[in-house]
Amino acid sequence: MAVLLLAEVAGDTLAVDATAKAATAGAKLGDVTVLVCGPQAAADEAAKLDGVTKVLLADDAAYANGLAENLADLIVSLAGDYSHIIAPATTTGKNILPRVAALLDVMVITDVTEVVDADTFKRPVYAGNAVQTVKSTDATKVISFRTSTFDAAGSTGSAAVETVSGAGDKGLSAFVEDKVVESDRPELTSAKIVVSGGRGVGSEENFAIIEALADKLGAAVGASRAAVDSGFAPNDQQVGQTGKVVAPDLYIACGISGAIQHLAGMKDSKVIVAINKDEEAPIFQVADFGLVADLFDAVPELTEKL
Amino acid sequence: MKVLVPVKRVIDYNVKVKVKADGTGVDLANVKMSMNPFDEISVEEAIRLKEAGIASEVVIVSIGEKKATDTIRNALAMGADRGILVTEDQGVDLEPLAVAKILAKVVEEEAPELVILGKQAIDNDMNATGQMLAALLGWGQATFASEVKIEDGKAVVTREVDGGLQTISVNLPAIVTTDLRLNEPRYASLPNIMKAKKKPLDEKTAADYGVDTTPRLTVVTTEEPTGRQAGIKVGSVDELIAKLKEGGLV
């Protein structure tokens, strides 16, 4: 079995965590070739990942910025050599892989959490309220992997890097600009600790107390959909069915009731702490440590005493 | 400019999903069904484009069992102009590839310049139909939209991406898929619900379009996720810190 993994490239650098986790998933299926659409340095980084046998580098500007139309055509032009085409289930992977699958006339299998065998995979449905095991009958399997359920591959390898080129720019779409949030905090999906705020935080200004605790712990900041909907936090901090899925060592939920859609995004965290003044809040049913308290008292106190 | 909006009838957002004990799926008998929330956002966006004088007509299409008529009527009550129901009832959820193939045929007939879809349906959570439709049509795609502007034959779309926001421009005709913050869908007023009953609604079948909808994925089992046990309640911040230190977490 030969696997083609689309590396996650953020700006000019390899997103090592997401790519390394997808590499672990890919290694369960066969020899992993990584396709890096970015600069040489990103390809060199990918070549170090354990389990990777080859790196293909496409450094044409048409493949920068993750434009789906150009990238999907490039992947399809390489597809003949592979039984599986995979990517981490990032917004880039989610954007491109279904397009690749349709061009190959196969079904995409998204957000896979477990490899059963080369054709059979587990994935959550209904906001994680059910887990489906699906078996593909397609010749080529196109799969995105939920990174939170796979360990990152190590970086002790040294695969060869080959340059590939494709048809280039199809002229269907063009990059205008990125508004990337500049932050010194760790990236949400790979952080060891996540501190999240929900509707109970009450306002965008009040989110400062969530951020203060996060900074004290060197943690990433997350938010429930309710907090994002209310404008308290930006969407890229959203944890849940329609946002990001995280599984840190420690997840601290502040003023989050624990709607099913939120639990879908964090219930695989190793330890969950819930701080909520409503002792009936469903979040306490999944929390290892629950503290029934007003978050405006408890969170600053926690920040101060840690 | 004509805008086509595909909508899906799914289990209501607030319903607690129950997995059937025999592993064959989830229990959908007698549960409330509604329009997929992201599709509501798509309908709203299309109607706003019409109100802004950019769209000339908003056409709704739904594929599935006959009951999806209600979902289309709901979109018509919000302000869409007419509907198309494509019945295809295999007793299982149609896969995004099959849905995209049917939609591609509808697009051929209707010739819209913009198709707006929800980024994912909250039942299968697949997040694929829009991208697949764009591939089949050879169109550009702007997924996970938080802002859509139509100018000079292009859709300039700001997208919700992992690190923040990305803006791209896509030539029309194009596919846009909607994310949460694009807009807040309106409620249909009673007079508009009454009016919607008189709006045109065509009925077709998947067979009319000659599309093979045979599933490519076999669902082997559907199970309950492994549960998480509730832990303990702590009485104070100090006790919480002690527990976290015990576990080596802080």
mmCIF file of all heavy atoms in Angstrom, chain A residues 136-180:
data_model
loop_
_atom_site.group_PDB
_atom_site.id
_atom_site.type_symbol
_atom_site.label_atom_id
_atom_site.label_comp_id
_atom_site.label_asym_id
_atom_site.label_seq_id
_atom_site.Cartn_x
_atom_site.Cartn_y
_atom_site.Cartn_z
ATOM 1 N N SER A 136 -14.894 1.179 2.726
ATOM 2 C CA SER A 136 -14.924 1.788 1.400
ATOM 3 C C SER A 136 -14.778 0.740 0.314
ATOM 4 O O SER A 136 -13.982 -0.193 0.433
ATOM 5 C CB SER A 136 -13.778 2.800 1.278
ATOM 6 O OG SER A 136 -13.650 3.201 -0.068
ATOM 7 N N THR A 137 -15.554 0.890 -0.756
ATOM 8 C CA THR A 137 -15.436 -0.012 -1.902
ATOM 9 C C THR A 137 -14.691 0.665 -3.041
ATOM 10 O O THR A 137 -14.548 0.099 -4.124
ATOM 11 C CB THR A 137 -16.830 -0.436 -2.401
ATOM 12 O OG1 THR A 137 -17.582 0.752 -2.691
ATOM 13 C CG2 THR A 137 -17.571 -1.250 -1.362
ATOM 14 N N ASP A 138 -14.228 1.891 -2.809
ATOM 15 C CA ASP A 138 -13.550 2.637 -3.874
ATOM 16 C C ASP A 138 -12.105 2.169 -4.066
ATOM 17 O O ASP A 138 -11.460 1.705 -3.128
ATOM 18 C CB ASP A 138 -13.542 4.133 -3.528
ATOM 19 C CG ASP A 138 -14.900 4.781 -3.752
ATOM 20 O OD1 ASP A 138 -15.543 4.466 -4.776
ATOM 21 O OD2 ASP A 138 -15.315 5.582 -2.897
ATOM 22 N N ALA A 139 -11.602 2.350 -5.284
ATOM 23 C CA ALA A 139 -10.233 1.929 -5.607
ATOM 24 C C ALA A 139 -9.214 2.771 -4.834
ATOM 25 O O ALA A 139 -8.237 2.255 -4.299
ATOM 26 C CB ALA A 139 -9.993 2.054 -7.107
ATOM 27 N N THR A 140 -9.448 4.072 -4.795
ATOM 28 C CA THR A 140 -8.556 4.954 -4.048
ATOM 29 C C THR A 140 -9.329 5.483 -2.848
ATOM 30 O O THR A 140 -10.464 5.914 -2.996
ATOM 31 C CB THR A 140 -8.103 6.139 -4.926
ATOM 32 O OG1 THR A 140 -7.554 5.625 -6.144
ATOM 33 C CG2 THR A 140 -7.049 6.984 -4.215
ATOM 34 N N LYS A 141 -8.698 5.434 -1.682
ATOM 35 C CA LYS A 141 -9.343 5.957 -0.490
ATOM 36 C C LYS A 141 -8.823 7.370 -0.246
ATOM 37 O O LYS A 141 -7.609 7.578 -0.195
ATOM 38 C CB LYS A 141 -9.025 5.104 0.740
ATOM 39 C CG LYS A 141 -9.871 3.853 0.877
ATOM 40 C CD LYS A 141 -9.548 2.815 -0.122
ATOM 41 C CE LYS A 141 -10.287 1.520 0.120
ATOM 42 N NZ LYS A 141 -10.202 0.629 -1.052
ATOM 43 N N VAL A 142 -9.733 8.296 -0.086
ATOM 44 C CA VAL A 142 -9.350 9.681 0.206
ATOM 45 C C VAL A 142 -9.848 9.993 1.614
ATOM 46 O O VAL A 142 -11.052 9.950 1.868
ATOM 47 C CB VAL A 142 -9.943 10.645 -0.838
ATOM 48 C CG1 VAL A 142 -9.574 12.080 -0.507
ATOM 49 C CG2 VAL A 142 -9.470 10.275 -2.246
ATOM 50 N N ILE A 143 -8.909 10.266 2.515
ATOM 51 C CA ILE A 143 -9.248 10.295 3.944
ATOM 52 C C ILE A 143 -8.629 11.494 4.651
ATOM 53 O O ILE A 143 -7.438 11.766 4.501
ATOM 54 C CB ILE A 143 -8.693 9.030 4.644
ATOM 55 C CG1 ILE A 143 -9.172 7.758 3.939
ATOM 56 C CG2 ILE A 143 -9.089 8.988 6.112
ATOM 57 C CD1 ILE A 143 -8.306 6.562 4.248
ATOM 58 N N SER A 144 -9.430 12.194 5.455
ATOM 59 C CA SER A 144 -8.816 13.160 6.376
ATOM 60 C C SER A 144 -8.860 12.570 7.789
ATOM 61 O O SER A 144 -9.829 11.906 8.170
ATOM 62 C CB SER A 144 -9.522 14.516 6.317
ATOM 63 O OG SER A 144 -10.826 14.440 6.832
ATOM 64 N N PHE A 145 -7.780 12.793 8.528
ATOM 65 C CA PHE A 145 -7.658 12.234 9.868
ATOM 66 C C PHE A 145 -7.793 13.317 10.917
ATOM 67 O O PHE A 145 -7.159 14.375 10.829
ATOM 68 C CB PHE A 145 -6.299 11.542 10.044
ATOM 69 C CG PHE A 145 -6.223 10.225 9.327
ATOM 70 C CD1 PHE A 145 -5.557 10.120 8.115
ATOM 71 C CD2 PHE A 145 -6.838 9.105 9.853
ATOM 72 C CE1 PHE A 145 -5.495 8.910 7.442
ATOM 73 C CE2 PHE A 145 -6.777 7.881 9.187
ATOM 74 C CZ PHE A 145 -6.108 7.785 7.976
ATOM 75 N N ARG A 146 -8.612 13.024 11.923
ATOM 76 C CA ARG A 146 -8.746 13.931 13.059
ATOM 77 C C ARG A 146 -7.456 13.814 13.875
ATOM 78 O O ARG A 146 -7.162 12.770 14.444
ATOM 79 C CB ARG A 146 -9.956 13.523 13.882
ATOM 80 C CG ARG A 146 -10.136 14.402 15.082
ATOM 81 C CD ARG A 146 -11.429 14.078 15.778
ATOM 82 N NE ARG A 146 -12.560 14.674 15.084
ATOM 83 C CZ ARG A 146 -13.769 14.785 15.623
ATOM 84 N NH1 ARG A 146 -14.000 14.334 16.829
ATOM 85 N NH2 ARG A 146 -14.751 15.346 14.947
ATOM 86 N N THR A 147 -6.696 14.895 13.915
ATOM 87 C CA THR A 147 -5.350 14.795 14.469
ATOM 88 C C THR A 147 -5.354 14.527 15.971
ATOM 89 O O THR A 147 -4.424 13.911 16.491
ATOM 90 C CB THR A 147 -4.557 16.081 14.195
ATOM 91 O OG1 THR A 147 -5.329 17.188 14.636
ATOM 92 C CG2 THR A 147 -4.261 16.228 12.724
ATOM 93 N N SER A 148 -6.408 14.944 16.679
ATOM 94 C CA SER A 148 -6.384 14.818 18.132
ATOM 95 C C SER A 148 -6.346 13.371 18.600
ATOM 96 O O SER A 148 -6.041 13.093 19.750
ATOM 97 C CB SER A 148 -7.578 15.540 18.751
ATOM 98 O OG SER A 148 -8.776 14.917 18.341
ATOM 99 N N THR A 149 -6.660 12.412 17.712
ATOM 100 C CA THR A 149 -6.676 11.014 18.154
ATOM 101 C C THR A 149 -5.429 10.233 17.746
ATOM 102 O O THR A 149 -5.354 9.029 17.956
ATOM 103 C CB THR A 149 -7.924 10.288 17.616
ATOM 104 O OG1 THR A 149 -7.987 10.472 16.204
ATOM 105 C CG2 THR A 149 -9.184 10.835 18.243
ATOM 106 N N PHE A 150 -4.457 10.901 17.133
ATOM 107 C CA PHE A 150 -3.228 10.206 16.757
ATOM 108 C C PHE A 150 -2.027 10.901 17.389
ATOM 109 O O PHE A 150 -1.992 12.125 17.483
ATOM 110 C CB PHE A 150 -3.068 10.188 15.230
ATOM 111 C CG PHE A 150 -4.149 9.408 14.532
ATOM 112 C CD1 PHE A 150 -5.297 10.048 14.080
ATOM 113 C CD2 PHE A 150 -4.029 8.041 14.359
ATOM 114 C CE1 PHE A 150 -6.311 9.323 13.454
ATOM 115 C CE2 PHE A 150 -5.038 7.311 13.742
ATOM 116 C CZ PHE A 150 -6.177 7.951 13.282
ATOM 117 N N ASP A 151 -1.051 10.111 17.816
ATOM 118 C CA ASP A 151 0.181 10.693 18.349
ATOM 119 C C ASP A 151 1.031 11.185 17.190
ATOM 120 O O ASP A 151 0.987 10.628 16.102
ATOM 121 C CB ASP A 151 0.961 9.636 19.145
ATOM 122 C CG ASP A 151 0.203 9.229 20.406
ATOM 123 O OD1 ASP A 151 -0.506 10.089 20.967
ATOM 124 O OD2 ASP A 151 0.304 8.053 20.805
ATOM 125 N N ALA A 152 1.806 12.214 17.447
ATOM 126 C CA ALA A 152 2.677 12.754 16.397
ATOM 127 C C ALA A 152 3.840 11.803 16.135
ATOM 128 O O ALA A 152 4.425 11.245 17.071
ATOM 129 C CB ALA A 152 3.197 14.123 16.808
ATOM 130 N N ALA A 153 4.180 11.604 14.865
ATOM 131 C CA ALA A 153 5.367 10.818 14.514
ATOM 132 C C ALA A 153 6.601 11.589 14.964
ATOM 133 O O ALA A 153 6.601 12.826 15.002
ATOM 134 C CB ALA A 153 5.398 10.588 13.004
ATOM 135 N N GLY A 154 7.650 10.869 15.299
ATOM 136 C CA GLY A 154 8.895 11.508 15.711
ATOM 137 C C GLY A 154 9.608 12.155 14.531
ATOM 138 O O GLY A 154 9.138 12.103 13.392
ATOM 139 N N SER A 155 10.731 12.803 14.827
ATOM 140 C CA SER A 155 11.459 13.519 13.765
ATOM 141 C C SER A 155 12.890 13.030 13.665
ATOM 142 O O SER A 155 13.833 13.798 13.735
ATOM 143 C CB SER A 155 11.458 15.015 14.047
ATOM 144 O OG SER A 155 10.199 15.554 13.760
ATOM 145 N N THR A 156 13.066 11.715 13.477
ATOM 146 C CA THR A 156 14.417 11.168 13.409
ATOM 147 C C THR A 156 14.745 10.610 12.027
ATOM 148 O O THR A 156 15.789 10.027 11.809
ATOM 149 C CB THR A 156 14.601 10.043 14.451
ATOM 150 O OG1 THR A 156 13.636 9.017 14.173
ATOM 151 C CG2 THR A 156 14.394 10.551 15.865
ATOM 152 N N GLY A 157 13.824 10.783 11.091
ATOM 153 C CA GLY A 157 14.019 10.192 9.762
ATOM 154 C C GLY A 157 14.809 11.086 8.826
ATOM 155 O O GLY A 157 15.225 12.197 9.185
ATOM 156 N N SER A 158 15.042 10.592 7.626
ATOM 157 C CA SER A 158 15.728 11.386 6.606
ATOM 158 C C SER A 158 15.326 10.870 5.230
ATOM 159 O O SER A 158 16.075 10.177 4.554
ATOM 160 C CB SER A 158 17.245 11.313 6.773
ATOM 161 O OG SER A 158 17.650 9.958 6.723
ATOM 162 N N ALA A 159 14.100 11.190 4.833
ATOM 163 C CA ALA A 159 13.597 10.738 3.536
ATOM 164 C C ALA A 159 14.156 11.626 2.423
ATOM 165 O O ALA A 159 14.540 12.773 2.662
ATOM 166 C CB ALA A 159 12.073 10.781 3.537
ATOM 167 N N ALA A 160 14.194 11.089 1.220
ATOM 168 C CA ALA A 160 14.654 11.867 0.060
ATOM 169 C C ALA A 160 13.567 12.856 -0.362
ATOM 170 O O ALA A 160 12.379 12.578 -0.220
ATOM 171 C CB ALA A 160 14.963 10.924 -1.083
ATOM 172 N N VAL A 161 14.016 14.017 -0.850
ATOM 173 C CA VAL A 161 13.068 15.024 -1.332
ATOM 174 C C VAL A 161 13.181 15.114 -2.851
ATOM 175 O O VAL A 161 14.267 15.273 -3.393
ATOM 176 C CB VAL A 161 13.372 16.414 -0.713
ATOM 177 C CG1 VAL A 161 12.396 17.462 -1.256
ATOM 178 C CG2 VAL A 161 13.300 16.359 0.810
ATOM 179 N N GLU A 162 12.039 14.960 -3.531
ATOM 180 C CA GLU A 162 12.000 15.071 -4.992
ATOM 181 C C GLU A 162 11.111 16.247 -5.361
ATOM 182 O O GLU A 162 10.121 16.491 -4.692
ATOM 183 C CB GLU A 162 11.299 13.843 -5.586
ATOM 184 C CG GLU A 162 12.195 12.754 -6.059
ATOM 185 C CD GLU A 162 11.342 11.557 -6.508
ATOM 186 O OE1 GLU A 162 10.316 11.770 -7.191
ATOM 187 O OE2 GLU A 162 11.707 10.433 -6.121
ATOM 188 N N THR A 163 11.448 16.937 -6.430
ATOM 189 C CA THR A 163 10.603 18.048 -6.863
ATOM 190 C C THR A 163 9.560 17.544 -7.863
ATOM 191 O O THR A 163 9.869 16.715 -8.717
ATOM 192 C CB THR A 163 11.463 19.140 -7.521
ATOM 193 O OG1 THR A 163 12.495 19.482 -6.604
ATOM 194 C CG2 THR A 163 10.644 20.373 -7.838
ATOM 195 N N VAL A 164 8.328 18.003 -7.699
ATOM 196 C CA VAL A 164 7.286 17.670 -8.678
ATOM 197 C C VAL A 164 6.667 18.968 -9.196
ATOM 198 O O VAL A 164 6.743 20.013 -8.542
ATOM 199 C CB VAL A 164 6.153 16.792 -8.083
ATOM 200 C CG1 VAL A 164 6.668 15.403 -7.757
ATOM 201 C CG2 VAL A 164 5.525 17.440 -6.863
ATOM 202 N N SER A 165 6.109 18.890 -10.379
ATOM 203 C CA SER A 165 5.393 20.062 -10.881
ATOM 204 C C SER A 165 4.078 19.601 -11.488
ATOM 205 O O SER A 165 3.930 18.439 -11.864
ATOM 206 C CB SER A 165 6.241 20.808 -11.909
ATOM 207 O OG SER A 165 6.591 19.927 -12.942
ATOM 208 N N GLY A 166 3.145 20.507 -11.543
ATOM 209 C CA GLY A 166 1.836 20.184 -12.089
ATOM 210 C C GLY A 166 1.457 21.226 -13.115
ATOM 211 O O GLY A 166 2.313 21.956 -13.636
ATOM 212 N N ALA A 167 0.162 21.316 -13.382
ATOM 213 C CA ALA A 167 -0.315 22.217 -14.432
ATOM 214 C C ALA A 167 -0.278 23.683 -13.995
ATOM 215 O O ALA A 167 -0.460 24.587 -14.794
ATOM 216 C CB ALA A 167 -1.718 21.821 -14.837
ATOM 217 N N GLY A 168 -0.062 23.929 -12.690
ATOM 218 C CA GLY A 168 0.020 25.309 -12.221
ATOM 219 C C GLY A 168 -1.329 25.933 -11.979
ATOM 220 O O GLY A 168 -2.273 25.255 -11.570
ATOM 221 N N ASP A 169 -1.431 27.219 -12.254
ATOM 222 C CA ASP A 169 -2.620 27.979 -11.888
ATOM 223 C C ASP A 169 -3.746 27.774 -12.889
ATOM 224 O O ASP A 169 -3.588 28.033 -14.080
ATOM 225 C CB ASP A 169 -2.252 29.470 -11.803
ATOM 226 C CG ASP A 169 -3.377 30.303 -11.219
ATOM 227 O OD1 ASP A 169 -4.404 29.715 -10.797
ATOM 228 O OD2 ASP A 169 -3.229 31.537 -11.194
ATOM 229 N N LYS A 170 -4.889 27.315 -12.412
ATOM 230 C CA LYS A 170 -6.068 27.128 -13.268
ATOM 231 C C LYS A 170 -6.807 28.429 -13.509
ATOM 232 O O LYS A 170 -7.726 28.486 -14.327
ATOM 233 C CB LYS A 170 -7.041 26.149 -12.606
ATOM 234 C CG LYS A 170 -6.586 24.719 -12.615
ATOM 235 C CD LYS A 170 -7.524 23.842 -11.783
ATOM 236 C CE LYS A 170 -8.899 23.662 -12.416
ATOM 237 N NZ LYS A 170 -8.908 22.648 -13.467
ATOM 238 N N GLY A 171 -6.474 29.441 -12.735
ATOM 239 C CA GLY A 171 -7.108 30.746 -12.928
ATOM 240 C C GLY A 171 -8.545 30.835 -12.437
ATOM 241 O O GLY A 171 -9.274 31.760 -12.791
ATOM 242 N N LEU A 172 -8.978 29.880 -11.606
ATOM 243 C CA LEU A 172 -10.360 29.921 -11.104
ATOM 244 C C LEU A 172 -10.487 30.775 -9.850
ATOM 245 O O LEU A 172 -11.545 31.326 -9.559
ATOM 246 C CB LEU A 172 -10.847 28.505 -10.782
ATOM 247 C CG LEU A 172 -11.181 27.606 -11.965
ATOM 248 C CD1 LEU A 172 -11.493 26.191 -11.470
ATOM 249 C CD2 LEU A 172 -12.375 28.154 -12.743
ATOM 250 N N SER A 173 -9.394 30.840 -9.080
ATOM 251 C CA SER A 173 -9.453 31.558 -7.817
ATOM 252 C C SER A 173 -8.117 32.240 -7.576
ATOM 253 O O SER A 173 -7.111 31.883 -8.186
ATOM 254 C CB SER A 173 -9.778 30.596 -6.670
ATOM 255 O OG SER A 173 -8.769 29.617 -6.564
ATOM 256 N N ALA A 174 -8.132 33.217 -6.703
ATOM 257 C CA ALA A 174 -6.891 33.930 -6.403
ATOM 258 C C ALA A 174 -6.852 34.279 -4.924
ATOM 259 O O ALA A 174 -7.889 34.564 -4.314
ATOM 260 C CB ALA A 174 -6.799 35.200 -7.247
ATOM 261 N N PHE A 175 -5.657 34.248 -4.377
ATOM 262 C CA PHE A 175 -5.450 34.607 -2.983
ATOM 263 C C PHE A 175 -5.485 36.124 -2.850
ATOM 264 O O PHE A 175 -4.903 36.834 -3.663
ATOM 265 C CB PHE A 175 -4.101 34.052 -2.531
ATOM 266 C CG PHE A 175 -3.662 34.526 -1.179
ATOM 267 C CD1 PHE A 175 -4.247 34.024 -0.031
ATOM 268 C CD2 PHE A 175 -2.663 35.480 -1.060
ATOM 269 C CE1 PHE A 175 -3.841 34.465 1.219
ATOM 270 C CE2 PHE A 175 -2.251 35.920 0.185
ATOM 271 C CZ PHE A 175 -2.843 35.412 1.327
ATOM 272 N N VAL A 176 -6.174 36.634 -1.859
ATOM 273 C CA VAL A 176 -6.201 38.080 -1.617
ATOM 274 C C VAL A 176 -5.370 38.420 -0.378
ATOM 275 O O VAL A 176 -4.385 39.134 -0.460
ATOM 276 C CB VAL A 176 -7.644 38.620 -1.468
ATOM 277 C CG1 VAL A 176 -7.635 40.116 -1.173
ATOM 278 C CG2 VAL A 176 -8.454 38.335 -2.734
ATOM 279 N N GLU A 177 -5.772 37.881 0.775
ATOM 280 C CA GLU A 177 -4.981 38.151 1.981
ATOM 281 C C GLU A 177 -5.296 37.162 3.096
ATOM 282 O O GLU A 177 -6.341 36.524 3.105
ATOM 283 C CB GLU A 177 -5.220 39.577 2.493
ATOM 284 C CG GLU A 177 -6.656 39.808 2.938
ATOM 285 C CD GLU A 177 -6.873 41.137 3.651
ATOM 286 O OE1 GLU A 177 -5.899 41.750 4.097
ATOM 287 O OE2 GLU A 177 -8.032 41.540 3.767
ATOM 288 N N ASP A 178 -4.352 37.049 4.012
ATOM 289 C CA ASP A 178 -4.552 36.276 5.227
ATOM 290 C C ASP A 178 -4.654 37.240 6.382
ATOM 291 O O ASP A 178 -3.897 38.213 6.440
ATOM 292 C CB ASP A 178 -3.328 35.380 5.499
ATOM 293 C CG ASP A 178 -3.455 34.028 4.832
ATOM 294 O OD1 ASP A 178 -4.602 33.585 4.609
ATOM 295 O OD2 ASP A 178 -2.415 33.428 4.530
ATOM 296 N N LYS A 179 -5.580 36.988 7.288
ATOM 297 C CA LYS A 179 -5.559 37.726 8.551
ATOM 298 C C LYS A 179 -5.316 36.697 9.633
ATOM 299 O O LYS A 179 -6.238 36.104 10.179
ATOM 300 C CB LYS A 179 -6.888 38.443 8.784
ATOM 301 C CG LYS A 179 -6.988 39.749 8.024
ATOM 302 C CD LYS A 179 -8.203 40.534 8.456
ATOM 303 C CE LYS A 179 -8.486 41.607 7.407
ATOM 304 N NZ LYS A 179 -9.915 41.677 7.079
ATOM 305 N N VAL A 180 -4.046 36.427 9.836
ATOM 306 C CA VAL A 180 -3.687 35.416 10.805
ATOM 307 C C VAL A 180 -3.568 36.077 12.166
ATOM 308 O O VAL A 180 -2.999 37.150 12.296
ATOM 309 C CB VAL A 180 -2.361 34.739 10.406
ATOM 310 C CG1 VAL A 180 -1.959 33.701 11.439
ATOM 311 C CG2 VAL A 180 -2.515 34.074 9.045
#
